[in-house]
Amino acid sequence: MAIIIAVTNHKGGVGKTTTVANTGAGLVRKSKKMHVLVIDLDPQSNLTQNLFPHERRDYKGQTTIAQVLGGAAIIDDAIVPTSIKGLDLVPSHIDLFEQEPNIQNGAGAVLGLHSALSRSDVLNKYDFILIDCPPNLGTFMTNALYAASHVIIPIEASNRFALDGIQSLFKKVNDVNVFKQGTKTQTLGYLITRCDMRTNIAKTMTTAIRQAFGDLVFRTAIRSNTDFDKAIMLNKTIFQQDLRASGASDYSDVASEIIERLKFKLPSPELVVQKEGTEREVPVT
Ligand SMILES: Nc1ncnc2c1ncn2[C@@H]1O[C@H](COP(=O)(O)OP(=O)(O)OP(=O)(O)O)[C@@H](O)[C@H]1O
Ligand SMILES: [Mg+2]
């Protein structure tokens, strides 16, 4: 049964999309048998622009999350393999902006994504499903939180105001949990992003975030790295861009921490990425 993780923060530009794409890619690198689905629930469609197969950039005939949430398609029809083996994408589309009021006032306002996933076989096909949320507390975040068993909250270390207003996000998670039948959505972790420890702001914010959330903060902080922007320009993940980039090592470590926190049993054989960027298979111990 897939573990569903919503990557969310109502603040913009904190690294949600970067985290979904590269954690997804990081997870599939842990085992050749790992299957990860990433869902773009943001009308901005940045995750889609990053991962959608380049040769099909006209999106011709492509079913997206907009049709799925609008009830016009099943989620299976929207799944696209990415250029990374084991990593699939449910793309978004700018149309989702226009559709938001209909979804908000319809049956799928809260349960839309959950129902779409439950009606399909995807929960049995994937080990992890990661959901990219838009930067607001609206309908799509509600849908993601209801569908997810866990949330990861990226917080940027390069912004003095990164923790301001975080209570609104906690309230949102709680509100959805009150409504949620069965198991509640848990916080899997806070992820420090855009962290340049040479700066005072990063030192101050890292201390503040670790003080505020203790062990819930991932040990790995994602360092600031210009390779992320280069990777996006080329429709690549950081692992495809440069295996030696700090971002590749950081998101690989985040994937390992997720596996550790969830006590997830890796399907063998494990694929280990070595420091120098070469890969080798080792048997799972
Ligand atoms: N660790 C990092 N170092 C340097 N740049 C980064 C890092 N993480 C993300 N970025 C860059 O910051 C920008 C915003 O990142 P991203 O799109 O992941 O944020 P977001 O939270 O999804 O934004 P939005 O709220 O608009 O959806 C992108 O250009 C991305 O390449
Ligand atoms: Mg985004």
Side-chain angles (χ1 to χ4, degrees):
M1 195 73 167
I3 295 163
I4 308 177
I5 304 172
V7 176
T8 196
N9 187 333
H10 57 304
K11 285 186 181 275
V14 300
K16 295 180 287 294
T17 303
T18 306
T19 297
V20 170
N22 293 292
T23 303
L27 282 168
V28 295
R29 292 174 64 77
K30 299 296 169 189
S31 163
K32 281 190 167 174
K33 291 189 181 161
M34 184 84 92
H35 293 105
V36 177
L37 178 67
V38 291
I39 301 179
D40 191 350
L41 213 55
D42 184 353
Q44 295 182 102
S45 310
N46 294 152
L47 183 69
T48 305
Q49 286 151 10
N50 189 183
L51 294 181
F52 196 84
H54 192 63
E55 61 281 6
R56 292 190 47 219
R57 291 313 275 190
D58 59 0
Y59 300 102
K60 218 171 172 187
Q62 178 60 48
T63 302
T64 71
I65 194 69
Q67 282 122 295
V68 175
L69 292 181
I74 58 166
I75 199 157
D76 306 65
D77 290 343
I79 295 175
V80 191
T82 70
S83 59
I84 295 174
K85 195 169 173 292
L87 183 68
D88 293 347
L89 164 75
V90 171
S92 183
H93 194 271
I94 193 87
D95 285 356
L96 199 55
F97 267 127
E98 284 164 32
Q99 238 184 291
E100 188 165 10
N102 302 336
I103 294 168
Q104 201 170 359
N105 298 319
V110 179
L111 293 174
L113 182 62
H114 171 77
S115 308
L117 290 169
S118 311
R119 274 198 299 270
S120 134
D121 197 32
V122 286
L123 294 176
N124 297 319
K125 281 193 194 151
Y126 293 96
D127 300 292
F128 288 93
I129 297 177
L130 306 179
I131 308 170
D132 188 22
C133 296
N136 59 59
L137 296 161
T139 314
F140 301 126
M141 190 197 279
T142 309
N143 263 266
L145 290 173
Y146 195 94
S149 56
H150 294 84
V151 283
I152 290 177
I153 302 174
I155 303 179
E156 52 175 344
S158 54
N159 182 350
R160 156 74 186 79
F161 304 108
L163 284 172
D164 292 9
I166 195 116
Q167 285 79 8
S168 310
L169 180 56
F170 299 156
K171 182 175 180 314
K172 180 76 186 184
V173 176
N174 283 337
D175 288 352
V176 175
N177 269 340
V178 167
F179 193 77
K180 198 166 171 173
Q181 318 253 304
T183 319
K184 309 295 181 191
T185 307
Q186 293 173 33
T187 302
L188 183 58
Y190 296 87
L191 179 63
I192 297 172
T193 59
R194 308 186 66 121
C195 184
D196 180 352
M197 282 308 246
R198 293 169 303 184
T199 64
N200 285 334
I201 183 73
K203 286 178 196 153
T204 307
M205 289 310 295
T206 299
T207 306
I209 295 164
R210 293 201 185 277
Q211 263 173 6
F213 307 118
D215 288 347
L216 270 178
V217 184
F218 285 100
R219 291 190 301 276
T220 309
I222 309 298
R223 286 167 279 180
S224 293
N225 182 356
T226 51
D227 286 314
F228 285 114
D229 279 334
K230 291 184 202 156
I232 287 171
M233 295 293 286
L234 297 167
N235 306 106
K236 288 177 176 175
T237 64
I238 195 73
F239 299 97
Q240 295 164 302
Q241 172 62 24
D242 185 355
L243 269 180
R244 291 157 305 177
S246 64
S249 150
D250 292 345
Y251 276 107
S252 176
D253 289 349
V254 168
S256 296
E257 277 196 68
I258 290 172
I259 286 166
E260 180 190 315
R261 283 183 182 209
L262 291 166
K263 298 186 173 56
F264 178 82
K265 205 168 171 336
L266 271 179
S268 63
E270 200 174 1
L271 183 69
V272 173
V273 181
Q274 293 180 313
K275 279 246 155 48
E276 65 273 24
T278 55
E279 295 172 4
R280 71 186 162 92
E281 280 181 31
V282 295
V284 164
T285 48

